[in-house]
């Protein structure tokens, strides 16, 4: 739904989803982006936080979500996820480059 550089990404999902249950048990997560046309890949490693406060839910609510969350922005089955990366790996031309996110905050 939104990102802040390479450090922070926001998503929404159903509170009842299996991912929410998994992140409650273990918040470790990774995101992977790929461009198949030139075989570039970016993996970000960090933790996922479940946000269910009214402010976060309202901030990311979009028209049309009522289809999935009939009770609206306050639907208990609507959750926002915040992924915070701590490190990453960039892959291109058979080369892997590991990096810490704090070294690349301005990207």
């Amino acid at each position: 739904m939104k990102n802040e550089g390479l450090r922070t990404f926001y998503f929404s999902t159903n509170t009842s989803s299996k991912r929410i249950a998994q992140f409650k048990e273990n918040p470790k997560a990774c995101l992977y982006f790929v461009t198949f046309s030139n075989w570039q890949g970016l993996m970000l490693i960090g933790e996922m936080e479940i946000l269910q406060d009214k402010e976060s839910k309202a901030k990311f609510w979009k028209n049309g979500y009522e289809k999935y969350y009939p009770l609206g922005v306050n639907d208990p089955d609507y959750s926002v996820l915040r992924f915070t990366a701590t490190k990453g790996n960039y892959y291109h031309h058979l080369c892997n480059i590991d990096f810490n996110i704090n070294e690349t905050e301005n990207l």
Side-chain angles (χ1 to χ4, degrees), residues 3-14:
N3 70 295
E4 298 167 356
L6 290 177
R7 180 175 290 286
T8 307
F9 292 77
Y10 294 90
F11 305 90
S12 67
T13 192
N14 295 79

Side-chain angles (χ1 to χ4, degrees), residues 24-44:
K24 282 181 178 178
E25 204 172 300
N26 181 353
K28 293 180 182 177
C30 71
L31 303 180
Y32 192 78
F33 304 89
V34 64
T35 304
F36 289 109
S37 61
N38 60 1
W39 293 103
Q40 286 183 311
L42 174 66
M43 180 175 60
L44 300 175

Side-chain angles (χ1 to χ4, degrees), residues 73-92:
V73 69
N74 295 315
D75 194 316
D77 200 33
Y78 168 57
S79 288
V80 173
L81 297 173
R82 177 173 51 208
F83 174 80
T84 303
T86 56
K87 58 186 176 177
N89 177 272
Y90 173 71
Y91 173 84
H92 190 228

